[in-house]
């Protein structure tokens, strides 16, 4: 039987973690709440993506450069740049794990990601902006079983089970099929390439930092947009 209370708390936890929505919870949360809220992530991604799509549709009225700035600004504001911040932290952790004052790697990495977003938003189909966050958050769930190393420091990946993975696959492919069935190809390639890369890097890391989840989301989203552009969907 579903625990409605736990599901609601779990959804709120996901919103608090990945969006600018901040709802106060007066009860202590548990891992079970996270488990029950994880499946809201693809739907949260859909909400973010659909809003980005609406903003990108202004390209018919305004200059594409200006619209790209609006889309990128919206994405950073609505997510509080939490995944970009995690990307910055993870890159510094990987390159200089004993000296966090060495920030140049993280700065360069996040700058490149922002420039890629800015460029790709202008040249990919607007419907791909709907699927982009769905692909990012679904990848976080789908790649969890691929990682065999210790995930105790993570918040989401350590709570993911097989049913989360199956549901993430189904929901993301269904959303892609509804808005643009051709994007299913990009989505499939994103998951396959991400799985291969993560599986390879898994042997290089003993314990995943909490911030690695943000890096996975951002990388999957960028990869999805690049693949979509390359195969000209």
């Amino acid at each position: 039987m579903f625990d409605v209370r736990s599901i609601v708390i779990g959804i709120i936890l996901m919103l608090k973690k990945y969006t600018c929505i901040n709802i106060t919870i007066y009860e202590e949360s548990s891992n079970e709440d996270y488990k029950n809220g994880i499946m809201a992530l693809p739907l949260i991604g859909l909400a973010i993506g659909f809003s980005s799509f609406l903003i990108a549709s202004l390209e018919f009225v305004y200059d594409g450069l200006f619209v790209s700035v609006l889309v990128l600004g919206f994405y950073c504001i609505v997510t509080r740049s939490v995944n970009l911040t995690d990307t910055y932290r993870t890159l510094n952790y990987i390159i200089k794990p004993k000296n966090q004052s060495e920030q140049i790697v993280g700065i360069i990495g996040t700058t490149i990601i922002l420039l890629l977003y800015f460029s790709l938003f202008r040249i990919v189909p607007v419907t791909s902006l709907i699927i982009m966050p769905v692909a990012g958050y679904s990848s976080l769930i789908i790649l969890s079983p691929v990682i065999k190393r210790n995930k105790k420091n993570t918040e989401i990946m350590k709570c993911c089970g097989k049913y989360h993975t199956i549901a993430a696959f189904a929901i993301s492919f269904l959303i892609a099929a509804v808005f643009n069935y051709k994007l299913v190809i990009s989505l499939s390639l994103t998951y396959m390439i991400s799985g291969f890369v993560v599986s390879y890097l898994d042997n290089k890391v003993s314990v995943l930092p909490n911030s690695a989840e943000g890096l996975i989301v951002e990388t999957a989203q960028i990869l999805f947009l690049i693949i979509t552009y390359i195969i000209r969907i």
Side-chain angles (χ1 to χ4, degrees):
M1 183 176 180
F2 290 108
D3 185 347
V4 177
R5 170 193 160 280
S6 181
I7 293 174
V8 171
I9 292 177
I11 293 173
I12 292 174
L13 289 171
M14 297 302 108
L15 290 171
K16 285 170 66 71
K17 179 174 175 60
Y18 289 109
T19 73
C20 58
I21 298 174
N22 188 9
I23 302 174
T24 303
I25 300 177
Y26 295 100
E27 297 185 40
E28 186 176 350
S29 59
S30 63
N31 282 344
E32 197 62 31
D33 296 329
Y34 274 93
K35 290 179 182 178
N36 289 326
I38 284 173
M39 286 324 306
L41 286 179
L43 300 180
I44 291 173
L46 174 61
I48 296 172
F50 190 73
S51 299
S52 299
F53 164 76
L54 294 178
I55 296 173
S57 298
L58 295 174
E59 188 172 356
F60 293 105
V61 181
Y62 298 102
D63 179 72
L65 181 65
F66 174 69
V67 173
S68 293
V69 172
L70 288 181
V71 174
L72 182 57
F74 166 78
Y75 173 72
C76 291
I77 291 171
V78 78
T79 63
R80 295 182 293 110
S81 299
V82 62
N83 293 320
L84 287 170
T85 302
D86 280 351
T87 298
Y88 163 79
R89 292 172 178 169
T90 305
L91 291 174
N92 283 332
Y93 176 86
I94 293 173
I95 305 300
K96 286 287 185 180
K98 295 181 180 179
N99 186 359
Q100 289 296 322
S101 63
E102 295 289 338
Q103 301 177 354
I104 187 64
V105 174
I107 293 173
I108 292 175
T110 51
T111 300
I112 290 174
I113 287 175
L114 288 171
L115 290 174
L116 284 172
Y117 274 133
F118 180 72
S119 301
L120 290 167
F121 284 163
R122 302 179 62 190
I123 57 179
V124 296
V126 290
T127 49
S128 63
L129 299 184
I130 301 176
I131 312 301
M132 181 196 79
V134 177
Y137 291 121
S138 295
S139 293
L140 187 60
I141 301 170
I142 292 168
L143 295 178
S144 178
V146 176
I147 299 175
K148 305 303 180 183
R149 297 290 173 168
N150 195 328
K151 298 188 284 272
K152 67 178 182 179
N153 289 334
T154 62
E155 289 184 315
I156 306 300
M157 301 186 82
K158 70 178 181 182
C159 298
C160 292
K162 289 183 179 180
Y163 64 94
H164 289 114
T165 303
I166 296 172
F169 264 117
I171 293 173
S172 59
F173 280 119
L174 177 61
I175 293 173
V178 168
F179 287 100
N180 185 345
Y181 70 94
K182 293 181 180 180
L183 291 175
V184 170
I185 301 173
S186 297
L187 204 56
S188 301
L189 291 173
T190 298
Y191 292 153
M192 286 191 291
I193 295 174
S194 298
F196 175 79
V197 172
V198 169
S199 178
Y200 172 77
L201 294 177
D202 186 38
N203 297 322
K204 311 295 183 181
V205 181
S206 56
V207 179
L208 286 178
N210 177 275
S211 58
E213 294 180 330
L215 176 62
I216 290 173
V217 172
E218 295 294 352
T219 304
Q221 291 179 168
I222 289 292
L223 181 60
F224 172 79
L225 293 178
I226 290 174
I227 292 173
T228 300
Y229 172 69
I230 290 174
I231 62 180
R232 303 289 182 176
I233 289 180

